[in-house]
Amino acid sequence: MSDPLAPDRGSETPTLWRVGRSYRAPLLVTQFPPEVSFGFLGRLLPTHETTELSVEAHRISPERALELLQGARAVAEAELATGGDGGRTAELEVERSSAAELGQAVARRTQELWKVGVRFVSLASNRPQAESKRARLVKRLSELGFRSRIPRYEVCESLRPPDMSGTEPRPSGYWHTLPTDGVAALFPGGDETVVEPGGTLLGLALSDASPVFFDRWSHASYSWGLFGTTGSGKSFAAALLLLRTRWLRPETTIAVLDPLGENSSWVESLGGSVIHVADGTEGRLNPLDPVTTAGDRREKAARVGTMFRALFPSLRDEEVAELDAAVTQLYERGPDVPTLGDLWNRIVSRSGPTSRLATLLEVFRSGSLRRLDGPTTARPAEPIVSVDFRGVPDDQLPFHLTYVLDWAYGRLADRPGPKLLLIDEAHLLARHAATEEFLDRVVRHVRHFDAGLMVLTQSPDDFLLRPAGRSLLRNLYVSAFLRLPQVSAESRAFFGLTSAEAEWLPRARLPRETGYAESLWRVGELHLPLAVVAATPEFEFLEATLGRFRAAPGDPASPPKGGL
Ligand SMILES: Nc1ncnc2c1ncn2[C@@H]1O[C@H](COP(=O)(O)OP(=O)(O)OP(=O)(O)O)[C@@H](O)[C@H]1O
Ligand SMILES: [Mg+2]
């Protein structure tokens, strides 16, 4: 048999093997974590990347296994007897007791010991890609508690195919001694998938119905995105996950920006309060109140500029500049807490009552937004608050969402403990560049306050058009795709979806067909096809409350579900 690593079949660099335009980047494991879940390889080796894993296992005879285990136990005991070396005492005790336990299991023939050769190889068509794939693998391994090493100047020895004897010399990190359970855990397709301790139940794996638990608070960003066509179950999944989060961490504070007002009823059922923007029930949020930036008036002035651009997208450059000057002056010289009336006065005193800007801002004095002119009176103290935008004209929604987002951001920054902010129909904030940039900044900064966002919208394409939208998507640690009518080439490339995944998403089954939502979860680098399933009490609670509109006083009946 010809040696695939013979010199004429490629060449070695210090850390890679190259054959033509194919690069192989080996990685060895120097230390296993004390425990791994069965099927953990599914989390290590995402379906959208080509990584080769080879595992060879050689059974160690029970006599030799007992000798090895007795040796390991004796070493641990001897080190403990001499006082261990500082912080290693606990580790040595674990080594001693696990060697003893394993010894009993080997004697009873319920476990065996194996000499196992393990090697990962990242494959790519160029060197930087091979190296970056390997670097990502190193990171994923370390997240699971593995230590790994890149074999330097030992590439050929690492990549050589096994000679089946189990005795050939290999670089350190290749050979390991594992019990039967450890070897079994190396096989993909085991009976457990993602199980993060302390996590909430995301759903059941579509492959084998095993539960997937995920701990939002243990990752780099706490923010997630949920995408799916109408009726695919986004709002339901988000409410379900919020319920489960509160179950595990009752101290979690929740705010909901709810353009369709679907969440009001369940929020109230949990003792939360609802601010109705259109009719002012539960009070007013003054869009100009600098409390939202903890008194930072310059930052507040910038956010006010964003709100006005969302309300008046037709503003000309010179009007934007004039408004900016008036707002800046207002925060420099105006009252501590300015109102929209104060801003109108300032505009009038600068450019006269008949200027186009003054005419536009008339909407806050005598027009449909006059209720917003005045100090903040809504100060909900409840840990769950929803802001219901039902009844707001469509063209005013981005404006309302922007100042309420500013208010919610202030609340996130101000409160202790874990916090989640759900933004349903988030595409409304992607209509204008300025509001999209603001949302992107919020997503990037909330992590510092122990907070995360749940961004819900029908298509990821809503956020792929501009750099700010793409930055926002990049900062979502989890992106869940429920049924999508189609997967654009841009989405596919951005999220690294395989062609099989892109073809499946338009066929993912809807909750009204199955009673659960079929979905694909992109969790960090993993792609997990899951069923979002509610337990009966969860389903009954959400069915009775989600999307059920509270009857306004005097309403004969409230609409069952639907748009604005
Ligand atoms: N995981 C689920 N299990 C059972 N039923 C579900 C599930 N998800 C959604 N449903 C049912 O489907 C209905 C529609 O779901 P939902 O309102 O969450 O869709 P959506 O994606 O938010 O749609 P839209 O874009 O129109 O807001 C829910 O009212 C509920 O009855
Ligand atoms: Mg919805």
Side-chain angles (χ1 to χ4, degrees):
M1 197 171 79
S2 72
D3 180 351
L5 292 175
D8 59 325
R9 300 291 306 272
S11 57
E12 185 178 8
T13 75
T15 60
L16 293 165
W17 189 267
R18 177 183 171 191
V19 183
R21 292 181 56 202
S22 159
Y23 285 78
R24 296 163 61 79
L27 186 69
L28 302 174
V29 174
T30 49
Q31 197 178 330
F32 279 68
E35 272 183 30
V36 289
S37 57
F38 283 89
F40 75 97
L41 283 171
R43 303 175 59 193
L44 270 181
L45 306 175
T47 50
H48 61 289
E49 265 187 23
T50 329
T51 304
E52 185 184 284
L53 164 68
S54 81
V55 178
E56 58 172 309
H58 304 270
R59 184 168 166 269
I60 298 173
S61 72
E63 299 71 33
R64 175 77 191 123
L66 283 171
E67 262 172 48
L68 285 172
L69 288 166
Q70 273 155 13
R73 187 176 165 180
V75 169
E77 273 167 3
E79 279 195 48
L80 278 169
T82 57
D85 66 350
R88 281 243 307 143
T89 310
E91 205 179 306
L92 289 168
E93 271 163 6
V94 171
E95 271 172 31
R96 177 179 56 182
S97 64
S98 65
E101 268 173 40
L102 208 47
Q104 286 165 7
V106 170
R108 286 198 308 269
R109 299 282 198 267
T110 54
Q111 292 275 332
E112 290 181 286
L113 282 195
W114 301 79
K115 181 176 184 182
V116 182
V118 181
R119 127 193 119 196
F120 293 93
V121 187
S122 297
L123 305 173
S125 55
N126 62 53
R127 182 189 183 129
Q129 254 184 31
E131 273 167 357
S132 79
K133 275 187 186 176
R134 177 165 56 185
R136 287 198 294 272
L137 182 59
V138 167
K139 185 163 166 280
R140 290 196 298 272
L141 277 164
S142 98
E143 280 168 0
L144 291 177
F146 288 83
R147 288 206 200 130
S148 56
R149 70 178 277 266
I150 295 172
R152 241 185 126 67
Y153 298 106
E154 294 169 320
V155 170
C156 186
E157 294 81 346
S158 306
L159 290 177
R160 196 171 290 287
D163 76 359
M164 310 312 266
S165 71
T167 54
E168 78 270 21
R170 292 285 192 174
S172 79
Y174 183 87
W175 291 119
H176 298 272
T177 306
L178 295 178
T180 309
D181 277 353
V183 180
L186 282 170
F187 284 84
D191 56 2
E192 286 176 39
T193 50
V194 180
V195 182
E196 292 190 350
T200 42
L201 177 66
L202 288 189
L204 305 182
L206 281 173
S207 54
D208 60 2
S210 56
V212 172
F213 293 87
F214 183 76
D215 180 11
R216 177 195 296 267
W217 311 104
S218 71
H219 295 276
S221 152
Y222 307 148
S223 294
W224 297 5
L226 266 64
F227 308 98
T229 190
T230 178
S232 60
K234 302 180 290 297
S235 301
F236 189 96
L240 182 65
L241 291 166
L242 290 179
L243 287 182
R244 289 177 181 167
T245 304
R246 290 259 313 163
W247 182 0
L248 284 184
R249 298 185 73 165
E251 73 279 18
T252 310
T253 303
I254 290 172
V256 184
L257 268 57
D258 186 11
L260 301 180
E262 289 174 303
N263 295 281
S264 301
S265 179
W266 74 260
V267 165
E268 283 177 337
S269 301
L270 295 183
S273 71
V274 179
I275 298 173
H276 292 263
V277 164
D279 60 15
T281 327
E282 296 287 327
R284 166 178 45 228
L285 298 172
N286 170 15
L288 301 192
D289 195 333
V291 71
T292 61
T293 54
D296 181 341
R297 298 172 82 83
R298 206 197 278 243
E299 172 63 21
K300 182 71 193 187
R303 291 193 203 168
V304 170
T306 303
M307 292 168 204
F308 281 109
R309 279 200 286 281
L311 185 59
F312 306 123
S314 68
L315 282 185
R316 295 189 286 266
D317 287 352
E318 62 276 17
E319 288 164 343
V320 171
E322 175 53 26
L323 183 63
D324 182 55
V327 170
T328 306
Q329 251 185 20
L330 185 68
Y331 283 101
E332 277 170 8
R333 305 182 207 158
D336 274 359
V337 181
T339 61
L340 288 158
D342 296 328
L343 178 62
W344 189 83
N345 287 334
R346 195 156 292 270
I347 299 255
V348 168
S349 71
R350 288 174 59 95
S351 47
T354 53
S355 66
R356 198 172 91 103
L357 259 186
T359 313
L360 286 173
L361 288 176
E362 195 54 50
V363 70
F364 296 113
R365 280 174 40 94
S366 54
S368 58
L369 295 174
R370 65 185 176 283
R371 266 189 328 83
L372 291 181
D373 181 12
T376 298
T377 53
R379 299 189 193 282
E382 293 82 358
I384 310 184
V385 179
S386 180
V387 183
D388 181 334
F389 297 81
R390 237 173 335 135
V392 169
D394 184 66
D395 60 340
Q396 288 181 358
L397 268 171
F399 164 71
H400 283 286
L401 272 165
T402 309
Y403 75 78
V404 176
L405 177 60
D406 171 42
W407 165 82
Y409 183 65
R411 224 173 111 92
L412 295 179
D414 191 40
R415 297 188 149 227
K419 288 155 295 238
L420 289 177
L421 170 61
L422 165 62
I423 305 183
D424 209 339
E425 309 291 334
H427 61 93
L428 292 165
L429 288 167
R431 275 194 200 163
H432 307 293
T435 53
E436 191 174 48
E437 278 160 26
F438 181 40
L439 182 60
D440 169 42
R441 271 198 295 144
V442 173
V443 169
R444 278 187 284 123
H445 291 163
V446 288
R447 161 87 213 245
H448 306 304
F449 321 131
D450 240 352
L453 262 66
M454 302 272 278
V455 178
L456 274 52
T457 195
Q458 293 200 356
S459 167
D461 295 345
D462 297 338
F463 287 99
L464 278 173
L465 293 175
R466 285 185 279 251
R470 284 195 292 276
S471 152
L472 176 149
L473 294 178
R474 262 194 297 277
N475 282 291
L476 303 173
Y477 192 77
V478 169
S479 308
F481 305 97
L482 297 119
R483 154 96 70 103
L484 291 173
Q486 65 194 42
V487 180
S488 69
E490 292 76 22
S491 277
R492 228 194 101 176
F494 186 87
F495 293 101
L497 302 179
T498 63
S499 53
E501 289 167 341
E503 278 162 30
W504 176 74
L505 280 170
R507 292 184 282 117
R509 288 189 295 168
L510 295 169
R512 67 167 171 269
E513 298 163 4
T514 50
Y516 55 85
E518 287 192 342
S519 53
L520 176 71
W521 291 67
R522 189 174 171 278
V523 177
E525 302 238 338
L526 300 177
H527 293 205
L528 306 167
L530 296 185
V532 178
V533 185
T536 305
E538 291 172 326
F539 179 76
E540 285 173 356
F541 175 71
L542 289 176
E543 256 322 81
T545 56
L546 187 70
R548 301 281 172 265
F549 298 126
R550 200 183 54 161
D555 267 7
S558 42
K561 196 154 178 16
L564 292 161

